[in-house]
Amino acid sequence: MEEQSNGSSVPVPEFLLICFPNYQSRQHWLSLPLSLLFLLAMGANVTLLITIRLEASLHEPMYYLLSLLSMLDIVLCLTVIPKVLAIFWFDDRYMNFSACFLQMFIMNSFLTMESCTFMVMAYDRYVAICKPLRYPSIITDQFVARAAIFVAARNGLLTMPIPILSSQLRYCSRIIKNCICTNMSVSKLSCDDITFNKLYQFVIGWTLLGSDLILIILSYSFILKAVARIKAEGAVAKALSTCGSHFILILFFSTVLLVLVITNLARDRIPPDVPILLNILHHLIPPALNPIVYGVRTKEIKQGIQNLLRRF
């Protein structure tokens, strides 16, 4: 298949992924830390899921929400990292047309699903601290089931047009200068006008992530206001410890996402390999840290993991 540069489209049965265009000869050195992070992320999340499944004391709504977060992390890791490692190890640079847009859909939808899950978890902590007597009647197993359906439906349906719009474009090139099929990396290869494509992703992305962030901030502002009124000795520390792990994960998720957005906006001023690396790490570091932070800071999960290790 030959490239065409005169504005005419070419059939695109598959794309060619060029990871780190400026450092192709040295990119294999990244495979070791990335594979270790991948194993850590997968191992930590699977351990957490098994622990919550087997420990009866963890069969509570808060831990079910944490299980949902772990499942989203696992899917995101499996969608992105194996292909990146295949490029590094086996020079497997080609990706099928359909597989590319499926990867694009999963990355966009599951990223916003994670954000939405953090928002639901923030509401869970708000009810636990601000309305403790009503917590068992509000945060039930049925609430978690409805929340999971809402998380999947809202973000899946609203992000689905992103890969659909990209798949309808006519492409003048098949070389993607990225390790993964991001919308902008793929769409800019098109011969067509991609203004609407870019506008839709921008509006939907900021609407979904922005609304989640606003609700998270509101939840924590109410939590801090309620904690400030607590007079009992040690009660403030106990109340804050119940949402400390969750707040750390939200802060880290938001910080990594903000850095990624800033580097993409300043793409002309920084080497093109930097945003590519940050995009990969964004699908690795939060999934690796989420279960570890909860495992270290939550006594019940720590005890559950110890019980799991004794069994096996």
Side-chain angles (χ1 to χ4, degrees):
M1 187 190 312
E2 295 182 357
E3 303 290 332
Q4 294 188 23
S5 57
N6 59 2
S8 60
S9 64
V10 294
V12 188
E14 56 188 13
F15 290 108
L16 177 66
L17 298 168
I18 304 296
C19 274
F20 305 108
N22 296 336
Y23 297 97
Q24 289 191 60
S25 61
R26 286 175 282 178
Q27 64 185 20
H28 62 278
W29 291 106
L30 273 174
S31 64
L32 179 59
L34 289 181
S35 58
L36 291 176
L37 273 173
F38 175 66
L39 291 174
L40 175 62
M42 295 299 296
N45 281 288
V46 169
T47 300
L48 185 62
L49 286 172
I50 294 174
T51 301
I52 294 173
R53 174 69 181 84
L54 295 181
E55 282 295 314
S57 61
L58 299 178
H59 293 176
E60 297 179 5
M62 179 178 76
Y63 301 112
Y64 292 149
L65 291 172
L66 186 56
S67 296
L68 175 60
L69 185 64
S70 283
M71 286 187 283
L72 294 173
D73 283 336
I74 287 173
V75 174
L76 271 173
C77 273
L78 290 175
T79 301
V80 173
I81 306 306
K83 180 60 180 179
V84 174
L85 293 178
I87 293 172
F88 290 165
W89 291 341
F90 310 113
D91 202 32
D92 182 17
R93 300 175 183 274
Y94 290 96
M95 181 173 275
N96 179 274
F97 184 87
S98 300
C100 183
F101 292 108
L102 177 61
Q103 185 188 66
M104 185 188 299
F105 169 69
I106 293 175
M107 288 190 298
N108 282 286
S109 61
F110 277 62
L111 175 67
T112 54
M113 284 182 199
E114 280 206 2
S115 172
C116 194
T117 303
F118 279 129
M119 181 266 290
V120 176
M121 293 170 76
Y123 177 71
D124 168 81
R125 292 300 83 203
Y126 159 74
V127 176
I129 293 175
C130 299
K131 301 180 180 181
L133 297 179
R134 297 183 58 195
Y135 182 84
S137 62
I138 296 176
I139 309 297
T140 61
D141 291 351
Q142 290 77 16
F143 169 84
V144 174
R146 293 192 195 100
I149 293 171
F150 171 74
V151 167
R154 185 197 78 159
N155 299 288
L157 291 174
L158 291 177
T159 56
M160 189 177 293
I162 294 174
I164 291 176
L165 288 170
S166 292
S167 67
Q168 301 304 309
L169 297 172
R170 295 177 303 117
Y171 287 93
C172 298
S173 173
R174 64 184 180 117
I175 298 176
I176 302 173
K177 293 183 178 179
N178 205 330
C179 300
I180 52 182
C181 289
T182 63
N183 183 37
M184 288 300 100
S185 296
V186 176
S187 298
K188 70 181 182 181
L189 304 178
S190 171
C191 317
D192 299 329
D193 182 10
I194 62 170
T195 302
F196 182 73
N197 188 306
K198 293 166 64 176
L199 181 63
Y200 184 85
Q201 178 171 6
F202 178 82
V203 171
I204 286 297
W206 283 108
T207 299
L208 295 177
L209 297 174
S211 61
D212 291 340
L213 183 60
I214 289 171
L215 291 172
I216 289 170
I217 292 172
L218 283 174
S219 296
Y220 273 96
S221 64
F222 287 132
I223 288 172
L224 292 174
K225 190 180 294 185
V227 166
R229 293 197 298 264
I230 297 177
K231 304 297 182 183
E233 184 178 352
V236 172
K238 183 178 179 180
L240 290 177
S241 68
T242 62
C243 56
S245 301
H246 179 233
F247 183 75
I248 290 172
L249 298 185
I250 291 172
L251 190 64
F252 191 80
F253 177 84
S254 302
T255 302
V256 173
L257 191 60
L258 182 62
V259 170
L260 184 59
V261 170
I262 292 173
T263 53
N264 276 281
L265 291 175
R267 190 181 290 269
D268 295 336
R269 302 179 185 177
I270 58 176
D273 298 312
V274 173
I276 295 173
L277 178 60
L278 288 174
N279 216 325
I280 295 172
L281 292 177
H282 182 62
H283 292 88
L284 260 183
I285 295 178
L289 288 183
N290 289 348
I292 292 173
V293 169
Y294 260 97
V296 170
R297 292 182 56 88
T298 307
K299 183 176 69 175
E300 293 80 4
I301 292 179
K302 192 186 301 183
Q303 184 63 48
I305 293 174
Q306 290 172 354
N307 294 340
L308 183 66
L309 293 174
R310 290 193 195 101
R311 290 185 187 184
F312 296 100

